[in-house]
Amino acid sequence: MGTDVNDAFTQEKTSQIEAVQEEARAFQGRIDRGEIAPIGDDRYRVLTGWDEGETFTVRRNTEGRIWQILAQHGLDTTTGGAALYTSTPAWHGLGAVIPGGITEIDEVLKLARIDWEVSKRPVLYEWDDGLRAAADHYVTVRRDSGDALGAVGGRYEVFQNRRVFEFLQELVHRHDAVWESADALRGGRKVFVTMRIPQPIVIDRGGLDDEITLYLAAINSHDGTSQAESIVTPWRIACGNTERFATRDAVHRWGIRHTKGGLSNLEEARRTLGLTLAYAKSFEAEENELVRAELLLDDFHALVDSLWPVDEDANGRARTFAQNRHDELDGMFREQFRNLGRTAYAAERTITDFLDHRARVVPRSLSEDLARAQRSLEGTNDDLKSKAHRQLLLHAR
């Protein structure tokens, strides 16, 4: 069976925290091995694994020994509890958990504590013992708590949570989808809902049975830093870290700007997202083509050379670097085809794994591992992955 990234994330997070709590030396060992890196004030960032990019805080006793790990889930707690609904318990154990999920958006908003609204108020300043309004400067404010969420301009339009999310309700009824999770992050500055696409993608059914579950996530923001958007992703959003991973690994995205008339695009978004099931079937068909296509070792080497061409006038150091990369990819491919067969699918998995976890970077100011984590979060390698997929698909056909 394939790997569910959400289960893998939960398992790795749990074992990670337990291991560090059991022995402080194990924690230091992870730093020495480049698995985590300090970022100041007893805070650390994970550099490898399913939760690459995650941050957490370490608490120490008076003797300096680690006694508690606090993962940074980022959930809003303005109303006194974690603003989260989920159908599956998250690694942090917070929020309202409804096994099997629910199907009504109003219930989702209430359980996730995101049924509040936002207003736009003018920015005021003191002058001669009075208050004046700053022209074209506003602040977005939560109506339930009065908390300021962000500074915006006059053209910025507030999108209420229910208005942005309710357009997905039709997909719930039409395709028997289930609301998987909903939450608010960073005091309500960002709000999310996710639903599971009913039919998973299965690669090589009856053979490898590599299963991929996809989710639709709708994201609303209230701080003026980003547009509202919907994405198709393998991640179920249940904290600040899975939010980053969901947007990083999105395979489709759609968005609207917070401007007057922006919400008129919701009908087009509904139509576009309604095509997601067709997209999933198309993606499944392509991956199955790769599974059935034999790929010789020489063909794999040619793919590597096309992805990382070496200039004719490259110096000796560059050629040595390229040869080392070539040899590493060769070894990874040989390992993959022991499990997946000598196929185009094994080649694609090799390229993806190399780009995500092995490829060297040449950072200007960050450590190599930290630069790799930043590159992964920014999707720097997406073009290479897409190019490899297209070339392997052409080979398969």
Side-chain angles (χ1 to χ4, degrees), residues 100-336:
I102 53 183
T103 58
E104 295 301 323
I105 183 60
D106 288 324
E107 192 174 0
V108 169
L109 296 175
K110 182 178 180 180
L111 287 172
R113 300 172 183 251
I114 56 174
D115 52 352
W116 38 266
E117 293 190 337
V118 175
S119 60
K120 190 171 74 171
R121 303 292 179 89
V123 172
L124 304 177
Y125 63 94
E126 292 184 1
W127 183 261
D128 291 340
D129 297 327
L131 292 177
R132 293 186 181 183
D136 204 40
H137 287 73
Y138 298 85
V139 61
T140 51
V141 178
R142 283 181 61 157
R143 290 182 180 175
D144 63 335
S145 65
D147 292 341
L149 302 178
V152 299
R155 296 183 59 194
Y156 182 93
E157 290 290 322
V158 170
F159 295 164
Q160 303 301 344
N161 295 332
R162 193 185 196 288
R163 183 72 180 93
V164 172
F165 301 150
E166 66 182 352
F167 81 99
L168 293 176
Q169 185 69 43
E170 179 181 328
L171 299 180
V172 173
H173 295 315
R174 180 181 297 179
H175 301 294
D176 294 325
V178 171
W179 295 104
E180 280 286 325
S181 65
D183 58 73
L185 302 174
R186 296 180 285 282
R189 291 168 177 81
K190 278 196 174 183
V191 186
F192 305 82
V193 293
T194 61
M195 63 170 57
R196 183 179 69 252
I197 295 176
Q199 297 300 320
I201 293 172
V202 180
I203 311 302
D204 193 24
R205 194 180 299 273
L208 296 175
D209 279 332
D210 198 358
E211 186 173 293
I212 303 172
T213 300
L214 291 178
Y215 299 86
L216 283 177
I219 307 168
N220 192 19
S221 69
H222 297 296
D223 60 1
T225 63
S226 60
Q227 62 183 353
E229 66 177 344
S230 284
I231 59 177
V232 180
T233 176
W235 288 95
R236 179 195 306 111
I237 301 177
C239 65
N241 298 295
T242 46
E243 170 241 326
R244 293 200 309 274
F245 306 152
T247 53
R248 176 192 68 188
D249 296 339
V251 293
H252 166 80
R253 66 179 66 231
W254 158 91
I256 57 174
R257 298 181 181 276
H258 285 263
T259 57
K260 187 175 182 179
L263 287 177
S264 64
N265 295 323
L266 283 178
E267 190 58 39
E268 175 62 18
R270 192 197 327 268
R271 187 194 68 80
T272 300
L273 292 175
L275 298 176
T276 298
L277 294 179
Y279 164 81
K281 292 179 180 178
S282 175
F283 178 77
E284 179 176 343
E286 289 183 0
E287 293 298 290
N288 279 308
E289 285 187 74
L290 299 185
V291 168
R292 294 189 294 269
E294 183 180 1
L295 191 78
L296 300 177
L297 193 57
D298 287 345
D299 294 328
F300 178 73
H301 291 164
L303 172 66
V304 171
D305 292 339
S306 70
L307 294 175
W308 291 279
V310 180
D311 294 336
E312 292 184 1
D313 58 350
N315 59 33
R317 182 178 181 182
R319 291 185 179 279
T320 298
F321 181 84
Q323 185 61 50
N324 290 339
R325 178 179 56 218
H326 187 280
D327 293 343
E328 183 172 9
L329 281 161
D330 177 90
M332 292 177 66
F333 180 57
R334 292 173 187 271
E335 183 65 29
Q336 284 282 11

